[in-house]
Amino acid sequence: MTAPRLAPLPPEQWDEPARNMLRGKVSLADRYLSGAPDAPPMPNILGVLGHHAELAGAWLGYNGTLLERSALDARDRELIILRVAWRTDSTYEWAQHVRLATRAGVTEAEIAAVARGHAAPVWTASDQVLLAAADQLLDRHAVDDATWAELVRHFDIRQVLEVLFVAGSYLCLALVCNSVGLQLDSDMAPPPTFARPETEERP
């Protein structure tokens, strides 16, 4: 979309009760909500959530566990999120999590390989099963027996549960971003266009 269906709520239109509903959930969000003169610009996703502060506070509280108190390594989490963002054509989610993935140690070559899926030669066995699980959850709404067996071989059960929740949670967020026409933040570089395979191999 060239214009948002739902414009982010500007910071100056947030009242203090709304800010308080979101504070203390994710440390990065607290910086945007501080109201301090040197506070960084509020990202568009937070501005959209500002239209429903009670929902936003609950979402950030839950999401804070996946982002800041996760049993999964940040790199593993970001690979799943990038695959979901790619498969759902969620430009905002992709651009945001390319930055987070890079900080978590995902290389440029690996980011490009996310578009090719689990069969790309750059992946380790544990990477492959994460990407395969993400695809199966998107396509079939469940992982199959073989993928489950590989997940529990590489990850403990808390981490396996987070694999499922991360994929589902960021599918939900991608649906929101795409449906409201969320535009990139001013400091986001437009994501590169990766060639989408004519027939993308799926597990």
Side-chain angles (χ1 to χ4, degrees):
M1 299 177 192
T2 57
R5 287 174 172 163
L6 179 63
L9 190 68
E12 60 271 15
Q13 293 182 25
W14 288 57
D15 59 24
E16 199 57 24
R19 290 175 186 271
N20 286 334
M21 283 186 187
L22 274 67
R23 286 189 178 119
K25 309 295 195 305
V26 178
S27 59
L28 189 58
D30 286 345
R31 291 175 54 211
Y32 303 123
L33 295 164
S34 68
D38 61 347
M42 185 177 290
N44 288 338
I45 183 60
L46 203 56
V48 164
L49 292 174
H51 289 283
H52 192 334
E54 186 174 6
L55 173 63
W59 169 264
L60 286 179
Y62 159 69
N63 199 238
T65 299
L66 299 179
L67 288 176
E68 298 184 345
R69 299 178 294 280
S70 176
L72 273 175
D73 287 345
R75 180 183 177 279
D76 294 335
R77 179 194 68 232
E78 293 303 320
L79 288 179
I80 298 167
I81 296 171
L82 286 177
R83 185 60 180 168
V84 171
W86 167 258
R87 289 284 315 278
T88 56
D89 292 316
S90 182
T91 302
Y92 188 93
E93 188 168 276
W94 176 271
Q96 184 71 275
H97 283 274
V98 162
R99 298 195 295 194
L100 295 178
T102 300
R103 292 174 200 161
V106 182
T107 67
E108 286 187 20
E110 289 170 337
I111 289 169
V114 167
R116 297 164 58 192
H118 76 288
V122 301
W123 304 124
T124 66
S126 61
D127 294 338
Q128 287 178 332
V129 73
L130 292 174
L131 296 169
D135 278 342
Q136 290 180 3
L137 290 165
L138 292 169
D139 291 334
R140 311 172 193 172
H141 312 133
V143 297
D144 62 22
D145 288 342
T147 300
W148 180 266
E150 282 297 297
L151 283 170
V152 297
R153 187 165 78 86
H154 290 283
F155 304 97
D156 67 37
I157 199 60
R158 292 176 67 240
Q159 293 170 321
V160 172
L161 283 173
E162 285 193 10
V163 169
L164 308 179
F165 273 97
V166 166
S169 300
Y170 282 87
L171 170 60
C172 174
L173 197 59
L175 300 180
V176 174
C177 292
N178 290 350
S179 295
V180 303
L182 192 62
Q183 306 296 293
L184 295 180
D185 299 339
S186 60
D187 63 343
M188 280 181 177
T193 301
F194 300 124
R196 190 177 288 274
E198 299 245 347
T199 54
E200 192 173 356
E201 184 178 348
R202 302 268 176 80

